[in-house]
Amino acid sequence: MSFDVPDPDLTPDQMVARAVALRSRLRDDQAQTEENSRYSKDMHDTFTEAGFYRILQPRRFGGHEFDPRTFYRTIIEIARGCPSTGWMLCLGAGHALQVGSCFSEAAQAEIFGADGHFVAPLSVGNFPGVRPARSVDGGYRVSGKWRYASGVPYSTHFMGLADVEGSDPAGLLVVVPRESYEVLDDWGDLIGLKGSGSNSVAIDDAFVPTHHTVAAAQLWGEWPLTTELLPGAAIHANPMYTGGFMAFAISELAVVQVGAARGMLDEYEELLRATVTNSMSGNSTTKRCTDPDFQRSYGLALGWVDAAHAIMMRSGELYMQNATRAMETGRQVSTEDHWRVYGMVQTAARLSWEAGELLFRTAGSGSALDGRRIQRYWRDLCAFRSNTTHQFDFRARTVAQARFGLPIERI
């Protein structure tokens, strides 16, 4: 079974250009996106028409089947216009890669559906409201509440981790169709990312067929590491669908931060070009862009953001290189390969935070006013910074553990 692909001749560069063309509109919508806790239905329709939800989706099932690097380039441009929107789009569109990688051909045909439109957040937290899945004939009964389901407002499916009665904790990934879960109205109170659509999901005794589930170890490629090639490699004859989740998962989170830092840098540059330096006499006519101190701040931040951007592009290339080697050898991507990319990507996030902190600190108090874009970009970066997943200082030891062949501590 296969489906028609919208815009079958579309190229990766054309896809990215569509995102760039939306930058002004995304900036203009920032305040409304925050107020609504999600991007608008009109923007969702624009994204659907542009094909953003299909970037990583298998071509056989209606997607463009572009590579992770193309996905990262597109998301950076969207997040550059609005980080909340970038986060919501990224975490709603990105998990087509996991469905294409981990599930059987029959399951993929059912999940991607007759028209190939697929949007699904993935919540992997071990939340108190998630009850163990109960095994029944042909599948599982699933109940509970999953938080931080970023991308869920316009979703077609929800993907979540659940324990299984009588089995190891967090042992099962389930894919649940839209009619089987409720999207709770509980998002928008965080310091930033207020418009990221990171609502909670509630499920009440939904039936999930066995072939719409996979073992968590198969998703992660970790804990324990599976040596088996993921089924998507053979189904689609494309190594992208055996790359595993870990290296991609952290890239989903970091790439939006790079876009946010890039957007903040745009605002700072406009400020330096348009604003004069302060003077005790009040008579200064010197533009900030000619001031050595502001030049230093801008130059440092530009270098950090460019470096972070380059790291993300390299991580996309490594994902494909590692996956190609795995497909050629018939074995899954190694633990060390996963975690080396993880360390790189966490460094990109840190460089983005460093740039954002410097820009906010030197932009002047006027930029900290409510409604100012620099303030909003900074708040969004603060929301990223406070997420425990991004604390590489805490997790750097896992990269060393992988390098030395030691047991990996679970995140």
Side-chain angles (χ1 to χ4, degrees):
M1 179 183 297
S2 61
F3 307 127
D4 291 335
V5 179
D7 294 333
D9 298 324
L10 188 72
T11 68
D13 285 346
Q14 288 171 336
M15 177 66 78
V16 176
R18 291 179 176 182
V20 173
L22 290 171
R23 188 179 305 156
S24 294
R25 180 176 165 190
L26 289 164
R27 287 175 173 170
D28 290 344
D29 285 357
Q30 282 180 0
Q32 194 63 49
T33 296
E34 277 201 339
E35 184 176 341
N36 294 340
S37 78
R38 65 195 64 180
Y39 51 76
S40 68
K41 179 60 165 57
D42 284 346
M43 188 64 73
H44 165 66
D45 291 341
T46 297
F47 290 170
T48 301
E49 184 177 355
F52 295 154
Y53 296 116
R54 299 174 185 253
I55 294 175
L56 296 171
Q57 191 166 316
R59 198 169 183 87
R60 182 173 184 176
F61 297 118
H64 292 290
E65 203 170 312
F66 293 146
D67 62 353
R69 191 173 181 272
T70 301
F71 185 71
Y72 301 158
R73 290 171 64 201
T74 303
I75 295 300
I76 284 175
E77 295 301 336
I78 295 296
R80 187 173 180 174
C82 176
S84 280
T85 297
W87 186 266
M88 181 173 163
L89 172 63
C90 183
L91 297 182
H95 303 119
L97 180 61
Q98 279 63 60
V99 175
S101 299
C102 298
F103 288 82
S104 69
E105 183 176 359
Q108 291 188 40
E110 293 169 4
I111 292 169
F112 287 128
D115 62 358
H117 179 62
F118 175 80
V119 181
L122 171 59
S123 179
V124 299
N126 188 15
F127 302 116
V130 179
R131 299 192 288 277
R134 180 166 50 89
S135 180
V136 297
D137 287 344
Y140 297 88
R141 287 285 175 182
V142 177
S143 297
K145 174 184 174 182
W146 285 257
R147 298 181 65 193
Y148 308 119
S150 302
V152 76
Y154 303 117
S155 61
T156 63
H157 295 76
F158 168 73
M159 301 169 66
L161 283 188
D163 297 345
V164 180
E165 287 183 348
S167 300
D168 293 335
L172 196 68
L173 173 74
V174 299
V175 180
V176 183
R178 183 64 188 86
E179 63 269 17
S180 296
Y181 59 89
E182 178 186 1
V183 179
L184 304 183
D185 185 16
D186 64 352
W187 186 249
D189 292 336
L190 203 64
I191 186 173
L193 296 179
K194 292 176 178 289
S196 64
S198 300
N199 304 63
S200 298
V201 163
I203 300 176
D204 184 15
D205 197 35
F207 173 74
V208 181
T210 301
H211 66 298
H212 286 199
T213 72
V214 296
Q218 183 172 332
L219 171 74
W220 294 113
E222 299 281 348
W223 311 311
L225 178 69
T226 175
T227 59
E228 298 179 359
L229 206 62
L230 296 177
I235 295 170
H236 305 295
N238 185 340
M240 180 170 74
Y241 297 111
T242 193
F245 186 59
M246 176 53 65
F248 177 77
I250 197 64
S251 295
E252 282 185 291
L253 307 182
V255 73
V256 182
Q257 299 168 63
V258 176
R262 183 71 75 189
M264 196 171 184
L265 195 65
D266 292 338
E267 294 296 318
Y268 193 86
E269 180 173 342
E270 289 183 16
L271 186 71
L272 264 56
R273 291 182 183 278
T275 308
V276 297
T277 57
N278 291 328
S279 169
M280 293 297 291
S281 67
N283 295 322
S284 176
T285 59
T286 303
K287 291 291 182 67
R288 286 187 180 183
C289 62
T290 66
D291 184 285
D293 291 326
F294 285 107
Q295 290 172 350
R296 177 184 180 277
S297 296
Y298 180 83
L300 283 170
L302 180 61
W304 291 336
V305 174
D306 283 347
H309 198 139
I311 288 172
M312 293 311 309
M313 296 304 99
R314 180 58 179 156
S315 75
E317 294 170 356
L318 284 173
Y319 183 95
M320 290 302 299
Q321 288 179 19
N322 293 337
T324 299
R325 184 168 62 248
M327 189 171 179
E328 290 172 347
T329 60
R331 295 173 67 86
Q332 181 55 284
V333 177
S334 73
T335 300
E336 182 178 349
D337 284 341
H338 276 303
W339 285 100
R340 292 282 288 273
V341 175
Y342 173 93
M344 287 175 54
V345 171
Q346 288 280 27
T347 302
R350 183 161 189 166
L351 289 169
S352 299
W353 300 330
E354 295 287 349
E357 190 277 334
L358 176 61
L359 295 173
F360 185 72
R361 176 165 54 85
T362 60
S365 56
S367 295
L369 293 170
D370 287 342
R372 297 293 175 89
R373 286 177 182 161
I374 285 184
Q375 189 230 54
R376 186 176 292 112
Y377 281 113
W378 172 237
R379 287 192 288 102
D380 288 340
L381 283 168
C382 286
F384 294 126
R385 191 71 171 100
S386 65
N387 189 317
T388 56
T389 305
H390 302 311
Q391 307 309 314
F392 188 45
D393 292 351
F394 301 165
R395 305 298 182 187
R397 64 184 183 276
T398 59
V399 180
Q401 290 163 357
R403 176 62 178 166
F404 293 116
L406 301 172
I408 302 296
E409 297 178 24
R410 182 169 181 173
I411 290 181

